Amino acid sequence: MFCFTYGSNMSRRRLQARVPSARFVAVAELPAHRLRFHKSAGDGSAKCNAEETGNPEDRVIGVVYEIDEGEKPELDRHEALGFGYDEKQVELATGSERLQAWMYYATRINNALKPFHWYKDHVLIGARENGLPAEYVAQIEAVESIDDPKPERHGRELSIYGKS
């Protein structure tokens, strides 16, 4: 099954730590949506959302992975499906082709929250390793992030890359 990722799950290491079957398919664009860091997370920070705008000029660029259907419940658990994220089917553009995939979208929004540095790092690592356009990566870099009040979580989260 195809999954469109646009936040921390763009990082191959992060996603494969959750669902080992994840296999890169394509970089894709989701029209009429924009990337926002405003999903209210249980840890008091903001996570990514592909906010539907209806504006055909808006777009979210992300990565399509194929995952084994049997591993999807584990990813749902990590993404708190039903407790902040829901899912929907979307049509994506991958160059001149169209692709159908499912994706998570935020149902709990808080525009006052900011992402933790480690979360933003996951998003940036995924964007860079998949070759997203430089101007799009620069938009992510410009998002203000904050220290995690639990510094041990920062180290644990980034340890999959051999850094903290």
Side-chain angles (χ1 to χ4, degrees), residues 1-4 21-23 25 64-73 75-76 87 89 100-102:
M1 63 189 322
F2 291 149
C3 174
F4 177 63
S21 68
R23 182 184 62 80
V25 174
V64 177
Y65 286 98
E66 184 171 16
I67 67 167
D68 288 343
E69 195 168 331
E71 290 182 338
K72 185 175 180 301
L75 190 56
D76 289 347
E87 62 183 280
Q89 291 288 319
Q100 297 285 325
W102 61 270

Side-chain angles (χ1 to χ4, degrees), residues 32-51:
H33 288 72
R34 66 180 167 177
L35 183 66
R36 299 286 306 275
F37 285 78
H38 68 180
K39 187 262 183 188
S40 179
D43 62 10
S45 73
K47 305 295 191 256
C48 284
N49 182 32
E51 179 183 51

Side-chain angles (χ1 to χ4, degrees), residues 70-95:
E71 290 182 338
K72 185 175 180 301
E74 181 63 14
L75 190 56
D76 289 347
R77 186 183 69 74
H78 280 284
E79 296 301 322
L81 183 64
F83 299 97
Y85 279 120
D86 206 342
E87 62 183 280
K88 66 181 177 179
Q89 291 288 319
V90 291
E91 182 172 296
L92 307 162
T94 60

Side-chain angles (χ1 to χ4, degrees), residues 52-69:
E52 190 165 0
T53 65
N55 180 346
E57 300 298 313
D58 290 336
R59 67 189 176 137
V60 171
I61 304 173
V63 181
V64 177
Y65 286 98
E66 184 171 16
I67 67 167
D68 288 343
E69 195 168 331

Side-chain angles (χ1 to χ4, degrees), residues 7-20 22 43 47 65 75 78-79 118-119 121-123 125-126 129 156-158 160-161:
S8 67
N9 285 335
M10 285 191 296
S11 162
R12 189 167 297 131
R13 284 188 191 151
R14 178 152 169 94
L15 185 59
Q16 287 179 335
R18 296 171 167 190
V19 286
D43 62 10
K47 305 295 191 256
Y65 286 98
L75 190 56
H78 280 284
E79 296 301 322
W118 60 259
Y119 180 81
D121 284 349
H122 281 309
V123 179
I125 288 166
E129 76 183 7
R156 185 175 63 248
E157 283 290 335
L158 297 181
I160 63 172
Y161 308 110

